[in-house]
Amino acid sequence: MSISISKAQKKALSELESFAGDNIAEFNVVSGVLEQYGALLQENIAKYADEKQVVASGELLKSMASEIERNGNVETFRLRMLDYYDYTNQGVKGVDSSRNAPNSPYQYKNYGMPKEAKESLKRYILSGRAKISSVRRDVALGIGLEKKGVRNMNKKSLIDRQVDTMAYMIKKYGIKATQYFNLAFEETFKDFEVVMTEAVGEDIVITFESIKKK
């Protein structure tokens, strides 16, 4: 997908037909171009998320929504995503190691994990996309887990033990930085200044045209 000024212009010009009296179509080309950038950004985020293998449950991508807000003559582009989008972008330092994300502003402070997060890990494991070995072969689980929130392992089902394993490893070593969002953003807006300058110029022409139609 590429950004098309002509596409936005045609849409804006077609909308002029519905304006009458004192109504003037302003900034329609800019709005149309921003809408295209919103769609392109979502497309690139999905591409890099898949390339960097950060897609687990799929909820993050499903949560994406772009919108254009207008306040007077100011057009504002907004992209909404779940709050944790930046954890897999910049990564998270682990409790015991920061190797996966040495420059991240985030860090786990303990080994606790909310029930909702564990349920998400369980769904991820059951989907078959997770790479996790049997708990019995995971040497890491034998190191002081009684003090780190993983207890009564022998009484748990295999899937629950696998969830505990993954939760422990995530908290211990952190989440690897992928820069998927930064890469998508840079690719999407690499020519933003040039394109928007042209779009604003087209808006001025269209506004004059609408004034002449009065």
Side-chain angles (χ1 to χ4, degrees):
M1 176 182 177
S2 60
I3 304 300
S4 171
I5 292 289
S6 61
K7 180 180 178 180
Q9 185 183 36
K10 288 178 182 177
K11 178 182 178 183
L13 287 171
S14 68
E15 290 174 350
L16 285 176
E17 302 301 326
S18 63
F19 281 78
D22 295 329
N23 292 320
I24 297 176
E26 296 181 308
F27 297 104
N28 283 325
V29 173
V30 169
S31 296
V33 171
L34 286 175
E35 288 174 0
Q36 291 181 55
Y37 269 111
L40 181 58
L41 179 58
Q42 292 184 63
E43 180 181 303
N44 284 333
I45 288 174
K47 180 183 74 173
Y48 280 107
D50 181 64
E51 182 179 301
K52 299 295 182 177
Q53 298 182 336
V54 300
V55 180
S57 66
E59 294 301 316
L60 183 61
L61 298 184
K62 291 177 184 177
S63 74
M64 287 194 300
S66 61
E67 58 186 39
I68 310 300
E69 294 183 0
R70 183 174 183 181
N71 184 8
N73 289 331
V74 178
E75 301 275 351
T76 303
F77 168 78
R78 298 185 187 279
L79 177 70
R80 303 188 184 280
M81 295 180 70
L82 292 173
D83 291 341
Y84 64 81
Y85 84 95
D86 204 32
Y87 294 163
T88 48
N89 180 51
Q90 297 194 65
V92 182
K93 297 176 183 176
V95 175
D96 293 341
S97 173
S98 60
R99 184 175 59 184
N100 279 330
N103 300 315
S104 174
Y106 313 113
Q107 182 171 16
Y108 292 123
K109 301 299 184 182
N110 56 60
Y111 285 86
M113 183 169 284
K115 181 179 179 181
E116 295 78 9
K118 285 194 172 185
E119 287 298 320
S120 180
L121 289 179
K122 180 182 288 189
R123 291 192 295 271
Y124 181 43
I125 293 171
L126 290 173
S127 73
R129 296 193 298 271
K131 295 179 181 179
I132 183 168
S133 59
S134 170
V135 175
R136 298 173 204 170
R137 296 194 297 272
D138 197 327
V139 178
L141 275 178
I143 306 176
L145 290 190
E146 295 78 11
K147 298 180 180 179
K148 295 180 171 58
V150 182
R151 300 184 180 131
N152 301 320
M153 295 295 292
N154 293 330
K155 297 180 181 179
K156 294 187 175 183
S157 65
L158 175 60
I159 181 63
D160 286 334
R161 289 154 64 191
Q162 289 179 326
V163 168
D164 285 338
T165 299
M166 181 170 280
Y168 171 73
M169 300 299 284
I170 288 173
K171 285 303 190 79
K172 181 179 177 66
Y173 297 107
I175 297 175
K176 186 177 181 180
T178 65
Q179 303 298 322
Y180 80 97
F181 185 88
N182 293 351
L183 291 168
F185 189 90
E186 290 171 5
E187 180 173 329
T188 301
F189 294 103
K190 59 187 177 184
D191 57 356
F192 182 76
E193 185 175 351
V194 174
V195 172
M196 291 309 296
T197 297
E198 183 179 349
V200 170
E202 295 294 342
D203 266 331
I204 293 173
V205 173
I206 289 175
T207 301
F208 281 139
E209 182 173 338
S210 66
I211 290 174
K212 292 176 182 178
K213 286 189 175 184
K214 289 180 60 177

